Amino acid sequence: MAQIIDGKNISSLVKEDVKKEIEALKQQNIKVCLAVIIVGDDPASKVYVGNKKKACEATGIESLEYALPADTTEEELLCLIEKLNNDPAVNGILCQLPLPKHINEKRVINTISAKKDVDAFHPENVGHIMIGDYTFLPCTPAGVMEMLERTGIEVQGKHCVIVGRSNIVGKPAAALMLNKSATVTVCHSKTVNLKEICLTADILIAAVGRANFITADMVRQDAIVIDVGINRNEQGKLCGDVDFEAVSQKASHITPVPGGVGPMTIAMLMKNTLTAAKQQNNLI
Ligand code: L34
């Protein structure tokens, strides 16, 4: 039976560290503030944004929430972002994805000031990540790295197979793994021999977005399995991309859903917001 990597517990440790630093900044009269924008009323997005707000409260970060109606125009959204870019009291800006179809996601991401881009989605920050010199790391892959590190799992020299090539998870996860000297293979929907490749993984990262996509026959005995997926199965129950029951019999370590990568994403957002504030106050 695999050791379960408890993302909830590890995320609390990260948030504790952030909280201490926020308190120290307050002693110097520096407040830290995150602006979160949500457009429309996607129920899952609302839950995630709600969790972000709670984490801000727990760490002492001030949070501003802009809940905009689904018919908000792109111009209105960009105008709000410009306003937040120019507001010195706002250290971090996050626009929750996905956005309604009539809004150009790329334009929105490009408009957020790179210095306040706590998601690390702006091309300037993505470039820094590729080079390996960065201020912000994208929250989900950074959360995965933090979990591995705090569990004492060495990445160097391991074969890491990532299933999924999104800009939010798969691609940046590959860059972070490479920066830590893993050997990286990125698979996706067009990959031939997916099962065979997965079977060569020391560390398998599933970021597909399909329930039970990774089955036990795709996992090597004693592999480390990180489940980034958040799906609902036929019963409406929250589940990841991995067949947890069967795979946990084979893996040496596994992350659960819920309580795995999700809470880590939020903890790393708090860390990025703290970093943004320190940078804007010339403390780093
Ligand atoms: N801009 N958009 C932007 N930044 C992000 O970093 C995100 N992401 C993804 C979706 N869109 C985004 C998130 O915040 C996914 N994501 C996210 C954040 C938190 C959780 C899941 C996804 C989370 O809290 N998960 C809980 C369960 C939540 C539930 O009950 O539904 C967990 O334990 O996994």
Side-chain angles (χ1 to χ4, degrees), residues 47-48 51-52 94-98 119 121 139-140 168 230 232 238 257-263 265-266:
V47 172
Y48 307 155
N51 288 348
K52 289 173 186 185
L94 178 148
C95 184
Q96 189 71 19
L97 303 179
D119 268 327
F121 291 166
C139 301
T140 301
I168 295 186
I230 303 211
R232 296 206 174 258
L238 208 61
V257 179
V261 175
T265 296
I266 291 178

Side-chain angles (χ1 to χ4, degrees), residues 82-270:
E82 288 292 0
K83 196 186 91 183
L84 296 170
N85 280 343
N86 294 323
D87 183 346
V90 173
N91 304 108
I93 304 169
L94 178 148
C95 184
Q96 189 71 19
L97 303 179
L99 287 165
K101 282 191 187 63
H102 67 278
I103 296 177
N104 181 335
E105 213 163 88
K106 214 189 272 179
R107 260 188 93 190
V108 170
I109 288 171
N110 289 351
T111 303
I112 294 174
S113 156
K115 292 197 165 14
K116 297 190 178 184
D117 170 36
V118 285
D119 268 327
F121 291 166
H122 191 285
E124 190 179 319
N125 289 322
V126 175
H128 283 302
I129 292 156
M130 287 306 291
I131 295 164
D133 110 48
Y134 36 71
T135 315
F136 306 125
L137 292 179
C139 301
T140 301
V144 170
M145 301 307 285
E146 187 83 23
M147 278 175 122
L148 292 172
E149 195 175 328
R150 292 203 189 224
T151 308
I153 295 168
E154 177 70 64
V155 167
Q156 182 175 319
K158 299 257 171 74
H159 184 205
C160 176
V161 175
I162 300 165
V163 189
R165 56 171 153 183
S166 69
N167 288 330
I168 295 186
V169 184
K171 283 190 214 168
L176 300 194
M177 279 288 170
L178 264 182
N179 286 339
K180 292 283 181 199
S181 303
T183 302
V184 180
T185 303
V186 182
C187 301
H188 45 79
S189 55
K190 303 284 185 293
T191 297
V192 180
N193 295 339
L194 177 66
K195 178 179 156 184
E196 284 68 26
I197 296 169
C198 288
L199 278 167
T200 66
D202 301 309
I203 301 173
L204 182 62
I205 301 182
V208 186
R210 262 165 64 189
N212 293 326
F213 185 83
I214 303 289
T215 47
D217 60 332
M218 298 166 83
V219 177
R220 183 157 94 183
Q221 186 67 40
D222 293 328
I224 293 151
V225 179
I226 307 290
D227 193 348
V228 180
I230 303 211
N231 315 295
R232 296 206 174 258
N233 67 11
E234 302 90 56
Q235 289 85 44
K237 197 174 150 249
L238 208 61
C239 62
D241 292 343
V242 176
D243 177 358
F244 184 87
E245 286 304 316
V247 171
S248 58
Q249 303 300 319
K250 245 181 154 179
S252 72
H253 296 76
I254 190 166
T255 66
V257 179
V261 175
M264 289 304 298
T265 296
I266 291 178
M268 299 319 279
L269 172 65
M270 300 301 113

